[in-house]
mmCIF file with all atom_site columns, all heavy atoms in Angstrom:
data_model
loop_
_atom_site.group_PDB
_atom_site.id
_atom_site.type_symbol
_atom_site.label_atom_id
_atom_site.label_alt_id
_atom_site.label_comp_id
_atom_site.label_asym_id
_atom_site.label_entity_id
_atom_site.label_seq_id
_atom_site.pdbx_PDB_ins_code
_atom_site.Cartn_x
_atom_site.Cartn_y
_atom_site.Cartn_z
_atom_site.occupancy
_atom_site.B_iso_or_equiv
_atom_site.pdbx_formal_charge
_atom_site.auth_seq_id
_atom_site.auth_comp_id
_atom_site.auth_asym_id
_atom_site.auth_atom_id
_atom_site.pdbx_PDB_model_num
ATOM 1   N N   . GLU A 1 34  ? 17.763  1.213   3.849   1.00 48.00 ? 34  GLU A N   1
ATOM 2   C CA  . GLU A 1 34  ? 18.761  0.557   3.014   1.00 48.00 ? 34  GLU A CA  1
ATOM 3   C C   . GLU A 1 34  ? 19.503  1.581   2.152   1.00 48.00 ? 34  GLU A C   1
ATOM 4   O O   . GLU A 1 34  ? 18.990  2.653   1.876   1.00 48.00 ? 34  GLU A O   1
ATOM 5   C CB  . GLU A 1 34  ? 18.078  -0.431  2.069   1.00 48.00 ? 34  GLU A CB  1
ATOM 6   C CG  . GLU A 1 34  ? 17.466  -1.595  2.806   1.00 48.00 ? 34  GLU A CG  1
ATOM 7   C CD  . GLU A 1 34  ? 16.321  -2.162  1.999   1.00 48.00 ? 34  GLU A CD  1
ATOM 8   O OE1 . GLU A 1 34  ? 16.581  -2.618  0.883   1.00 48.00 ? 34  GLU A OE1 1
ATOM 9   O OE2 . GLU A 1 34  ? 15.175  -2.123  2.469   1.00 48.00 ? 34  GLU A OE2 1
ATOM 10  N N   . ALA A 1 37  ? 20.672  3.823   -4.441  1.00 72.00 ? 37  ALA A N   1
ATOM 11  C CA  . ALA A 1 37  ? 21.499  4.632   -5.318  1.00 72.00 ? 37  ALA A CA  1
ATOM 12  C C   . ALA A 1 37  ? 20.585  5.483   -6.205  1.00 72.00 ? 37  ALA A C   1
ATOM 13  O O   . ALA A 1 37  ? 19.972  4.979   -7.124  1.00 72.00 ? 37  ALA A O   1
ATOM 14  C CB  . ALA A 1 37  ? 22.364  3.717   -6.177  1.00 72.00 ? 37  ALA A CB  1
ATOM 15  N N   . TYR A 1 89  ? 5.171   18.104  -7.934  1.00 98.00 ? 89  TYR A N   1
ATOM 16  C CA  . TYR A 1 89  ? 5.016   17.168  -9.057  1.00 98.00 ? 89  TYR A CA  1
ATOM 17  C C   . TYR A 1 89  ? 3.951   17.682  -10.018 1.00 98.00 ? 89  TYR A C   1
ATOM 18  O O   . TYR A 1 89  ? 4.127   17.660  -11.240 1.00 98.00 ? 89  TYR A O   1
ATOM 19  C CB  . TYR A 1 89  ? 4.675   15.749  -8.561  1.00 98.00 ? 89  TYR A CB  1
ATOM 20  C CG  . TYR A 1 89  ? 3.386   15.158  -9.105  1.00 98.00 ? 89  TYR A CG  1
ATOM 21  C CD1 . TYR A 1 89  ? 3.284   14.731  -10.442 1.00 98.00 ? 89  TYR A CD1 1
ATOM 22  C CD2 . TYR A 1 89  ? 2.252   15.046  -8.306  1.00 98.00 ? 89  TYR A CD2 1
ATOM 23  C CE1 . TYR A 1 89  ? 2.089   14.209  -10.938 1.00 98.00 ? 89  TYR A CE1 1
ATOM 24  C CE2 . TYR A 1 89  ? 1.072   14.526  -8.790  1.00 98.00 ? 89  TYR A CE2 1
ATOM 25  C CZ  . TYR A 1 89  ? 0.978   14.114  -10.111 1.00 98.00 ? 89  TYR A CZ  1
ATOM 26  O OH  . TYR A 1 89  ? -0.202  13.622  -10.604 1.00 98.00 ? 89  TYR A OH  1
ATOM 27  N N   . HIS A 1 93  ? 4.539   18.598  -14.056 1.00 98.00 ? 93  HIS A N   1
ATOM 28  C CA  . HIS A 1 93  ? 3.807   17.953  -15.158 1.00 98.00 ? 93  HIS A CA  1
ATOM 29  C C   . HIS A 1 93  ? 2.873   18.944  -15.864 1.00 98.00 ? 93  HIS A C   1
ATOM 30  O O   . HIS A 1 93  ? 2.774   18.920  -17.088 1.00 98.00 ? 93  HIS A O   1
ATOM 31  C CB  . HIS A 1 93  ? 3.043   16.733  -14.640 1.00 98.00 ? 93  HIS A CB  1
ATOM 32  C CG  . HIS A 1 93  ? 3.914   15.512  -14.488 1.00 98.00 ? 93  HIS A CG  1
ATOM 33  N ND1 . HIS A 1 93  ? 3.409   14.250  -14.282 1.00 98.00 ? 93  HIS A ND1 1
ATOM 34  C CD2 . HIS A 1 93  ? 5.262   15.369  -14.547 1.00 98.00 ? 93  HIS A CD2 1
ATOM 35  C CE1 . HIS A 1 93  ? 4.413   13.373  -14.203 1.00 98.00 ? 93  HIS A CE1 1
ATOM 36  N NE2 . HIS A 1 93  ? 5.537   14.032  -14.349 1.00 98.00 ? 93  HIS A NE2 1
ATOM 37  N N   . ALA A 1 98  ? 3.294   19.264  -23.587 1.00 97.00 ? 98  ALA A N   1
ATOM 38  C CA  . ALA A 1 98  ? 2.028   18.633  -23.975 1.00 97.00 ? 98  ALA A CA  1
ATOM 39  C C   . ALA A 1 98  ? 0.861   19.104  -23.109 1.00 97.00 ? 98  ALA A C   1
ATOM 40  O O   . ALA A 1 98  ? -0.305  18.881  -23.454 1.00 97.00 ? 98  ALA A O   1
ATOM 41  C CB  . ALA A 1 98  ? 2.149   17.112  -23.876 1.00 97.00 ? 98  ALA A CB  1
ATOM 42  N N   . ALA A 1 118 ? 12.029  14.366  -20.706 1.00 98.00 ? 118 ALA A N   1
ATOM 43  C CA  . ALA A 1 118 ? 11.988  13.037  -20.077 1.00 98.00 ? 118 ALA A CA  1
ATOM 44  C C   . ALA A 1 118 ? 12.297  13.151  -18.588 1.00 98.00 ? 118 ALA A C   1
ATOM 45  O O   . ALA A 1 118 ? 11.620  12.542  -17.749 1.00 98.00 ? 118 ALA A O   1
ATOM 46  C CB  . ALA A 1 118 ? 12.989  12.106  -20.753 1.00 98.00 ? 118 ALA A CB  1
ATOM 47  N N   . ASP A 1 125 ? 7.060   12.061  -11.575 1.00 98.00 ? 125 ASP A N   1
ATOM 48  C CA  . ASP A 1 125 ? 6.689   10.701  -11.140 1.00 98.00 ? 125 ASP A CA  1
ATOM 49  C C   . ASP A 1 125 ? 7.328   10.354  -9.796  1.00 98.00 ? 125 ASP A C   1
ATOM 50  O O   . ASP A 1 125 ? 6.671   9.799   -8.904  1.00 98.00 ? 125 ASP A O   1
ATOM 51  C CB  . ASP A 1 125 ? 7.146   9.665   -12.180 1.00 98.00 ? 125 ASP A CB  1
ATOM 52  C CG  . ASP A 1 125 ? 6.380   9.775   -13.492 1.00 98.00 ? 125 ASP A CG  1
ATOM 53  O OD1 . ASP A 1 125 ? 5.328   10.439  -13.524 1.00 98.00 ? 125 ASP A OD1 1
ATOM 54  O OD2 . ASP A 1 125 ? 6.843   9.180   -14.495 1.00 98.00 ? 125 ASP A OD2 1
ATOM 55  N N   . GLU A 1 133 ? 5.877   7.943   0.077   1.00 98.00 ? 133 GLU A N   1
ATOM 56  C CA  . GLU A 1 133 ? 6.962   7.335   0.851   1.00 98.00 ? 133 GLU A CA  1
ATOM 57  C C   . GLU A 1 133 ? 7.196   8.087   2.168   1.00 98.00 ? 133 GLU A C   1
ATOM 58  O O   . GLU A 1 133 ? 7.384   7.464   3.221   1.00 98.00 ? 133 GLU A O   1
ATOM 59  C CB  . GLU A 1 133 ? 8.261   7.319   0.027   1.00 98.00 ? 133 GLU A CB  1
ATOM 60  C CG  . GLU A 1 133 ? 9.453   6.740   0.794   1.00 98.00 ? 133 GLU A CG  1
ATOM 61  C CD  . GLU A 1 133 ? 10.693  6.535   -0.077  1.00 98.00 ? 133 GLU A CD  1
ATOM 62  O OE1 . GLU A 1 133 ? 10.586  6.579   -1.315  1.00 98.00 ? 133 GLU A OE1 1
ATOM 63  O OE2 . GLU A 1 133 ? 11.777  6.328   0.504   1.00 98.00 ? 133 GLU A OE2 1
ATOM 64  N N   . GLY A 1 144 ? 0.233   3.445   12.563  1.00 95.00 ? 144 GLY A N   1
ATOM 65  C CA  . GLY A 1 144 ? -0.061  2.983   11.211  1.00 95.00 ? 144 GLY A CA  1
ATOM 66  C C   . GLY A 1 144 ? -1.449  3.379   10.726  1.00 95.00 ? 144 GLY A C   1
ATOM 67  O O   . GLY A 1 144 ? -1.625  3.756   9.568   1.00 95.00 ? 144 GLY A O   1
ATOM 68  N N   . GLU A 1 145 ? -2.436  3.309   11.602  1.00 95.00 ? 145 GLU A N   1
ATOM 69  C CA  . GLU A 1 145 ? -3.810  3.625   11.187  1.00 95.00 ? 145 GLU A CA  1
ATOM 70  C C   . GLU A 1 145 ? -3.932  5.087   10.742  1.00 95.00 ? 145 GLU A C   1
ATOM 71  O O   . GLU A 1 145 ? -4.634  5.403   9.783   1.00 95.00 ? 145 GLU A O   1
ATOM 72  C CB  . GLU A 1 145 ? -4.804  3.325   12.310  1.00 95.00 ? 145 GLU A CB  1
ATOM 73  C CG  . GLU A 1 145 ? -4.915  1.849   12.700  1.00 95.00 ? 145 GLU A CG  1
ATOM 74  C CD  . GLU A 1 145 ? -5.507  0.958   11.587  1.00 95.00 ? 145 GLU A CD  1
ATOM 75  O OE1 . GLU A 1 145 ? -6.095  1.490   10.633  1.00 95.00 ? 145 GLU A OE1 1
ATOM 76  O OE2 . GLU A 1 145 ? -5.352  -0.281  11.687  1.00 95.00 ? 145 GLU A OE2 1
ATOM 77  N N   . THR A 1 155 ? -4.532  10.241  -1.610  1.00 98.00 ? 155 THR A N   1
ATOM 78  C CA  . THR A 1 155 ? -4.726  9.659   -2.950  1.00 98.00 ? 155 THR A CA  1
ATOM 79  C C   . THR A 1 155 ? -6.027  10.178  -3.558  1.00 98.00 ? 155 THR A C   1
ATOM 80  O O   . THR A 1 155 ? -6.072  10.490  -4.754  1.00 98.00 ? 155 THR A O   1
ATOM 81  C CB  . THR A 1 155 ? -4.772  8.115   -2.926  1.00 98.00 ? 155 THR A CB  1
ATOM 82  O OG1 . THR A 1 155 ? -5.843  7.666   -2.097  1.00 98.00 ? 155 THR A OG1 1
ATOM 83  C CG2 . THR A 1 155 ? -3.462  7.514   -2.443  1.00 98.00 ? 155 THR A CG2 1
ATOM 84  N N   . ARG A 1 185 ? -16.645 22.798  -10.447 1.00 93.00 ? 185 ARG A N   1
ATOM 85  C CA  . ARG A 1 185 ? -16.189 21.415  -10.267 1.00 93.00 ? 185 ARG A CA  1
ATOM 86  C C   . ARG A 1 185 ? -14.693 21.296  -10.582 1.00 93.00 ? 185 ARG A C   1
ATOM 87  O O   . ARG A 1 185 ? -13.929 20.702  -9.832  1.00 93.00 ? 185 ARG A O   1
ATOM 88  C CB  . ARG A 1 185 ? -17.013 20.503  -11.198 1.00 93.00 ? 185 ARG A CB  1
ATOM 89  C CG  . ARG A 1 185 ? -16.559 19.059  -11.197 1.00 93.00 ? 185 ARG A CG  1
ATOM 90  C CD  . ARG A 1 185 ? -17.296 18.256  -12.272 1.00 93.00 ? 185 ARG A CD  1
ATOM 91  N NE  . ARG A 1 185 ? -16.710 16.938  -12.419 1.00 93.00 ? 185 ARG A NE  1
ATOM 92  C CZ  . ARG A 1 185 ? -16.662 16.260  -13.563 1.00 93.00 ? 185 ARG A CZ  1
ATOM 93  N NH1 . ARG A 1 185 ? -17.182 16.775  -14.665 1.00 93.00 ? 185 ARG A NH1 1
ATOM 94  N NH2 . ARG A 1 185 ? -16.114 15.068  -13.609 1.00 93.00 ? 185 ARG A NH2 1
ATOM 95  N N   . ALA B 1 37  ? -16.396 12.533  -9.136  1.00 72.00 ? 37  ALA B N   1
ATOM 96  C CA  . ALA B 1 37  ? -16.709 12.683  -10.550 1.00 72.00 ? 37  ALA B CA  1
ATOM 97  C C   . ALA B 1 37  ? -15.434 12.517  -11.349 1.00 72.00 ? 37  ALA B C   1
ATOM 98  O O   . ALA B 1 37  ? -14.596 13.400  -11.368 1.00 72.00 ? 37  ALA B O   1
ATOM 99  C CB  . ALA B 1 37  ? -17.318 14.059  -10.786 1.00 72.00 ? 37  ALA B CB  1
ATOM 100 N N   . TYR B 1 89  ? 1.253   2.243   -15.360 1.00 98.00 ? 89  TYR B N   1
ATOM 101 C CA  . TYR B 1 89  ? 1.658   3.661   -15.392 1.00 98.00 ? 89  TYR B CA  1
ATOM 102 C C   . TYR B 1 89  ? 3.068   3.775   -15.965 1.00 98.00 ? 89  TYR B C   1
ATOM 103 O O   . TYR B 1 89  ? 3.352   4.644   -16.795 1.00 98.00 ? 89  TYR B O   1
ATOM 104 C CB  . TYR B 1 89  ? 1.569   4.289   -13.991 1.00 98.00 ? 89  TYR B CB  1
ATOM 105 C CG  . TYR B 1 89  ? 2.862   4.888   -13.465 1.00 98.00 ? 89  TYR B CG  1
ATOM 106 C CD1 . TYR B 1 89  ? 3.365   6.078   -13.979 1.00 98.00 ? 89  TYR B CD1 1
ATOM 107 C CD2 . TYR B 1 89  ? 3.609   4.254   -12.466 1.00 98.00 ? 89  TYR B CD2 1
ATOM 108 C CE1 . TYR B 1 89  ? 4.573   6.618   -13.507 1.00 98.00 ? 89  TYR B CE1 1
ATOM 109 C CE2 . TYR B 1 89  ? 4.806   4.775   -11.996 1.00 98.00 ? 89  TYR B CE2 1
ATOM 110 C CZ  . TYR B 1 89  ? 5.287   5.960   -12.525 1.00 98.00 ? 89  TYR B CZ  1
ATOM 111 O OH  . TYR B 1 89  ? 6.474   6.475   -12.079 1.00 98.00 ? 89  TYR B OH  1
ATOM 112 N N   . HIS B 1 93  ? 4.139   5.938   -19.372 1.00 98.00 ? 93  HIS B N   1
ATOM 113 C CA  . HIS B 1 93  ? 5.119   7.038   -19.370 1.00 98.00 ? 93  HIS B CA  1
ATOM 114 C C   . HIS B 1 93  ? 6.382   6.669   -20.152 1.00 98.00 ? 93  HIS B C   1
ATOM 115 O O   . HIS B 1 93  ? 6.914   7.497   -20.879 1.00 98.00 ? 93  HIS B O   1
ATOM 116 C CB  . HIS B 1 93  ? 5.455   7.448   -17.927 1.00 98.00 ? 93  HIS B CB  1
ATOM 117 C CG  . HIS B 1 93  ? 4.416   8.360   -17.319 1.00 98.00 ? 93  HIS B CG  1
ATOM 118 N ND1 . HIS B 1 93  ? 4.599   9.049   -16.150 1.00 98.00 ? 93  HIS B ND1 1
ATOM 119 C CD2 . HIS B 1 93  ? 3.175   8.696   -17.745 1.00 98.00 ? 93  HIS B CD2 1
ATOM 120 C CE1 . HIS B 1 93  ? 3.524   9.769   -15.872 1.00 98.00 ? 93  HIS B CE1 1
ATOM 121 N NE2 . HIS B 1 93  ? 2.642   9.566   -16.818 1.00 98.00 ? 93  HIS B NE2 1
ATOM 122 N N   . ALA B 1 98  ? 8.891   11.719  -25.449 1.00 97.00 ? 98  ALA B N   1
ATOM 123 C CA  . ALA B 1 98  ? 10.100  12.245  -24.797 1.00 97.00 ? 98  ALA B CA  1
ATOM 124 C C   . ALA B 1 98  ? 10.919  11.143  -24.127 1.00 97.00 ? 98  ALA B C   1
ATOM 125 O O   . ALA B 1 98  ? 12.074  11.359  -23.777 1.00 97.00 ? 98  ALA B O   1
ATOM 126 C CB  . ALA B 1 98  ? 9.718   13.298  -23.752 1.00 97.00 ? 98  ALA B CB  1
ATOM 127 N N   . ALA B 1 118 ? -0.933  14.628  -23.498 1.00 98.00 ? 118 ALA B N   1
ATOM 128 C CA  . ALA B 1 118 ? -1.328  15.155  -22.188 1.00 98.00 ? 118 ALA B CA  1
ATOM 129 C C   . ALA B 1 118 ? -2.140  14.106  -21.428 1.00 98.00 ? 118 ALA B C   1
ATOM 130 O O   . ALA B 1 118 ? -1.931  13.881  -20.229 1.00 98.00 ? 118 ALA B O   1
ATOM 131 C CB  . ALA B 1 118 ? -2.140  16.441  -22.353 1.00 98.00 ? 118 ALA B CB  1
ATOM 132 N N   . ASP B 1 125 ? -0.069  9.341   -14.279 1.00 98.00 ? 125 ASP B N   1
ATOM 133 C CA  . ASP B 1 125 ? -0.093  9.961   -12.946 1.00 98.00 ? 125 ASP B CA  1
ATOM 134 C C   . ASP B 1 125 ? -1.236  9.397   -12.094 1.00 98.00 ? 125 ASP B C   1
ATOM 135 O O   . ASP B 1 125 ? -1.052  9.106   -10.911 1.00 98.00 ? 125 ASP B O   1
ATOM 136 C CB  . ASP B 1 125 ? -0.291  11.484  -13.074 1.00 98.00 ? 125 ASP B CB  1
ATOM 137 C CG  . ASP B 1 125 ? 0.909   12.183  -13.703 1.00 98.00 ? 125 ASP B CG  1
ATOM 138 O OD1 . ASP B 1 125 ? 1.988   11.573  -13.787 1.00 98.00 ? 125 ASP B OD1 1
ATOM 139 O OD2 . ASP B 1 125 ? 0.753   13.355  -14.101 1.00 98.00 ? 125 ASP B OD2 1
ATOM 140 N N   . GLU B 1 133 ? -3.875  4.222   -3.630  1.00 98.00 ? 133 GLU B N   1
ATOM 141 C CA  . GLU B 1 133 ? -5.257  4.306   -3.122  1.00 98.00 ? 133 GLU B CA  1
ATOM 142 C C   . GLU B 1 133 ? -5.829  2.913   -2.872  1.00 98.00 ? 133 GLU B C   1
ATOM 143 O O   . GLU B 1 133 ? -6.491  2.670   -1.862  1.00 98.00 ? 133 GLU B O   1
ATOM 144 C CB  . GLU B 1 133 ? -6.130  5.083   -4.118  1.00 98.00 ? 133 GLU B CB  1
ATOM 145 C CG  . GLU B 1 133 ? -7.589  5.161   -3.672  1.00 98.00 ? 133 GLU B CG  1
ATOM 146 C CD  . GLU B 1 133 ? -8.428  6.092   -4.531  1.00 98.00 ? 133 GLU B CD  1
ATOM 147 O OE1 . GLU B 1 133 ? -7.866  6.893   -5.299  1.00 98.00 ? 133 GLU B OE1 1
ATOM 148 O OE2 . GLU B 1 133 ? -9.671  6.024   -4.434  1.00 98.00 ? 133 GLU B OE2 1
ATOM 149 N N   . GLY B 1 144 ? -3.941  -1.847  9.455   1.00 94.00 ? 144 GLY B N   1
ATOM 150 C CA  . GLY B 1 144 ? -3.249  -0.642  9.009   1.00 94.00 ? 144 GLY B CA  1
ATOM 151 C C   . GLY B 1 144 ? -1.743  -0.814  8.925   1.00 94.00 ? 144 GLY B C   1
ATOM 152 O O   . GLY B 1 144 ? -1.106  -0.340  7.989   1.00 94.00 ? 144 GLY B O   1
ATOM 153 N N   . GLU B 1 145 ? -1.161  -1.506  9.899   1.00 95.00 ? 145 GLU B N   1
ATOM 154 C CA  . GLU B 1 145 ? 0.296   -1.662  9.916   1.00 95.00 ? 145 GLU B CA  1
ATOM 155 C C   . GLU B 1 145 ? 0.791   -2.432  8.691   1.00 95.00 ? 145 GLU B C   1
ATOM 156 O O   . GLU B 1 145 ? 1.829   -2.121  8.123   1.00 95.00 ? 145 GLU B O   1
ATOM 157 C CB  . GLU B 1 145 ? 0.768   -2.360  11.204  1.00 95.00 ? 145 GLU B CB  1
ATOM 158 C CG  . GLU B 1 145 ? 0.502   -1.576  12.490  1.00 95.00 ? 145 GLU B CG  1
ATOM 159 C CD  . GLU B 1 145 ? 1.309   -0.274  12.600  1.00 95.00 ? 145 GLU B CD  1
ATOM 160 O OE1 . GLU B 1 145 ? 2.287   -0.097  11.856  1.00 95.00 ? 145 GLU B OE1 1
ATOM 161 O OE2 . GLU B 1 145 ? 0.920   0.579   13.435  1.00 95.00 ? 145 GLU B OE2 1
ATOM 162 N N   . THR B 1 155 ? 6.647   2.133   -2.446  1.00 98.00 ? 155 THR B N   1
ATOM 163 C CA  . THR B 1 155 ? 7.226   3.433   -2.845  1.00 98.00 ? 155 THR B CA  1
ATOM 164 C C   . THR B 1 155 ? 8.720   3.277   -3.108  1.00 98.00 ? 155 THR B C   1
ATOM 165 O O   . THR B 1 155 ? 9.246   3.857   -4.060  1.00 98.00 ? 155 THR B O   1
ATOM 166 C CB  . THR B 1 155 ? 7.026   4.527   -1.766  1.00 98.00 ? 155 THR B CB  1
ATOM 167 O OG1 . THR B 1 155 ? 7.632   4.136   -0.535  1.00 98.00 ? 155 THR B OG1 1
ATOM 168 C CG2 . THR B 1 155 ? 5.555   4.830   -1.541  1.00 98.00 ? 155 THR B CG2 1
ATOM 169 N N   . ARG B 1 185 ? 22.910  -2.753  -12.154 1.00 93.00 ? 185 ARG B N   1
ATOM 170 C CA  . ARG B 1 185 ? 22.208  -1.814  -11.270 1.00 93.00 ? 185 ARG B CA  1
ATOM 171 C C   . ARG B 1 185 ? 20.943  -1.281  -11.945 1.00 93.00 ? 185 ARG B C   1
ATOM 172 O O   . ARG B 1 185 ? 19.866  -1.237  -11.354 1.00 93.00 ? 185 ARG B O   1
ATOM 173 C CB  . ARG B 1 185 ? 23.163  -0.658  -10.934 1.00 93.00 ? 185 ARG B CB  1
ATOM 174 C CG  . ARG B 1 185 ? 22.516  0.464   -10.145 1.00 93.00 ? 185 ARG B CG  1
ATOM 175 C CD  . ARG B 1 185 ? 23.477  1.652   -9.977  1.00 93.00 ? 185 ARG B CD  1
ATOM 176 N NE  . ARG B 1 185 ? 22.794  2.782   -9.386  1.00 93.00 ? 185 ARG B NE  1
ATOM 177 C CZ  . ARG B 1 185 ? 23.060  4.060   -9.692  1.00 93.00 ? 185 ARG B CZ  1
ATOM 178 N NH1 . ARG B 1 185 ? 23.993  4.357   -10.569 1.00 93.00 ? 185 ARG B NH1 1
ATOM 179 N NH2 . ARG B 1 185 ? 22.394  5.032   -9.102  1.00 93.00 ? 185 ARG B NH2 1
ATOM 180 N N   . ARG B 1 217 ? 11.762  -12.856 -0.920  1.00 97.00 ? 217 ARG B N   1
ATOM 181 C CA  . ARG B 1 217 ? 12.461  -11.697 -1.475  1.00 97.00 ? 217 ARG B CA  1
ATOM 182 C C   . ARG B 1 217 ? 13.594  -12.154 -2.404  1.00 97.00 ? 217 ARG B C   1
ATOM 183 O O   . ARG B 1 217 ? 13.755  -11.639 -3.505  1.00 97.00 ? 217 ARG B O   1
ATOM 184 C CB  . ARG B 1 217 ? 13.025  -10.897 -0.296  1.00 97.00 ? 217 ARG B CB  1
ATOM 185 C CG  . ARG B 1 217 ? 13.559  -9.541  -0.602  1.00 97.00 ? 217 ARG B CG  1
ATOM 186 C CD  . ARG B 1 217 ? 14.070  -8.922  0.719   1.00 97.00 ? 217 ARG B CD  1
ATOM 187 N NE  . ARG B 1 217 ? 14.965  -7.809  0.442   1.00 97.00 ? 217 ARG B NE  1
ATOM 188 C CZ  . ARG B 1 217 ? 14.556  -6.557  0.265   1.00 97.00 ? 217 ARG B CZ  1
ATOM 189 N NH1 . ARG B 1 217 ? 13.274  -6.252  0.368   1.00 97.00 ? 217 ARG B NH1 1
ATOM 190 N NH2 . ARG B 1 217 ? 15.413  -5.602  -0.015  1.00 97.00 ? 217 ARG B NH2 1
#
Side-chain angles (χ1 to χ4, degrees):
Chain A
E34 293 154 62
Y89 123 72
H93 280 193
D125 292 345
E133 178 172 346
E145 295 294 345
T155 60
R185 175 187 171 212
Chain B
Y89 122 73
H93 279 192
D125 292 345
E133 178 172 345
E145 296 294 344
T155 59
R185 174 186 172 215
R217 191 180 162 88

